[in-house]
Amino acid sequence: GMERGEILAKKPQAGASVVATTDTMNRLEQDALALLNDKQKYNMGGVTGMSAEFPAWPGGKKADTLVLLKGLVSKETLAVLQDLKQSAKSGASGLGATNEREFESLGNAIAALELSQRGGTRMSEPALKRALAQIVTYARKAKQNAARAYKDTYGEEYKFEDAAPSQTGAAP
């Protein structure tokens, strides 16, 4: 296997990977959960099936739902996931191949949502909710995996307070 020195040399990179993974996964999880649970603010029925074909009133529930959904399935999100996946695949993450599968699955779930929103075959409301629930599941798993891989490799938990001030720490 790798020499201890080689492994330790990757520690800063591994820490950065934990932060990048946690930040990205927190955002995906929060957005997906908001769409699933905040009925006051978001209307999933309005962006699925036939009703998706009608225009959204600015400032209405449907418009807000579309904005959050578009952010979730943006090219930026997919690019970040692609980067995370590549660095897991190449070992550049410092965490081995951790989360390669999770990032792949997240990318697929998000791509399906994106296609549906672009007016391909509109997803039904239950299908949209399933896709969002999958995103939440994979995002949580990826955060846990990253933390576990770091601990397994370096014998200690990653300490978020050492990171950039924007970091709020690992969510439960």
Side-chain angles (χ1 to χ4, degrees):
M2 280 206 297
E3 288 299 309
R4 189 78 195 132
E6 278 181 74
I7 293 173
L8 287 175
K10 280 200 163 168
K11 194 173 178 180
Q13 185 52 50
S17 297
V18 174
V19 172
T21 300
T22 304
D23 277 351
T24 304
M25 297 306 123
N26 279 343
R27 188 174 62 79
L28 292 180
E29 181 184 358
Q30 281 157 11
D31 288 357
L33 283 173
L35 286 165
L36 282 168
N37 300 332
D38 192 346
K39 309 275 187 286
Q40 297 299 299
K41 203 160 171 353
Y42 305 110
N43 170 19
M44 304 291 273
V47 298
T48 53
M50 279 310 293
S51 46
E53 305 308 322
F54 299 107
W57 291 103
K61 263 191 194 184
K62 180 174 171 177
D64 288 346
T65 307
L66 285 171
V67 167
L68 191 51
L69 206 47
K70 279 205 172 74
L72 190 59
V73 303
S74 67
K75 291 206 168 32
E76 290 76 32
T77 304
L78 286 166
V80 169
L81 279 172
Q82 191 57 38
D83 286 351
L84 287 169
K85 196 178 101 184
Q86 276 311 115
S87 89
K89 204 174 186 149
S90 67
S93 65
L95 301 172
T98 304
N99 284 330
E100 204 185 322
R101 271 209 317 273
E102 283 69 23
F103 296 145
E104 176 84 25
S105 303
L106 275 165
N108 291 341
I110 289 171
L113 282 176
E114 199 269 333
L115 188 66
S116 170
Q117 286 313 301
R118 234 183 328 151
T121 321
R122 293 275 181 199
M123 271 186 184
S124 66
E125 191 174 345
L128 181 60
K129 286 180 172 165
R130 272 199 305 278
L132 289 167
Q134 274 183 330
I135 289 170
V136 172
T137 302
Y138 291 129
R140 286 179 175 163
K141 203 166 164 218
K143 282 191 288 187
Q144 289 164 354
N145 290 348
R148 190 180 307 120
Y150 186 91
K151 188 168 189 253
D152 289 350
T153 308
Y154 302 104
E156 61 190 30
E157 306 266 341
Y158 180 77
K159 292 181 191 58
F160 283 96
E161 55 271 28
D162 301 342
S166 69
Q167 184 59 40
T168 52

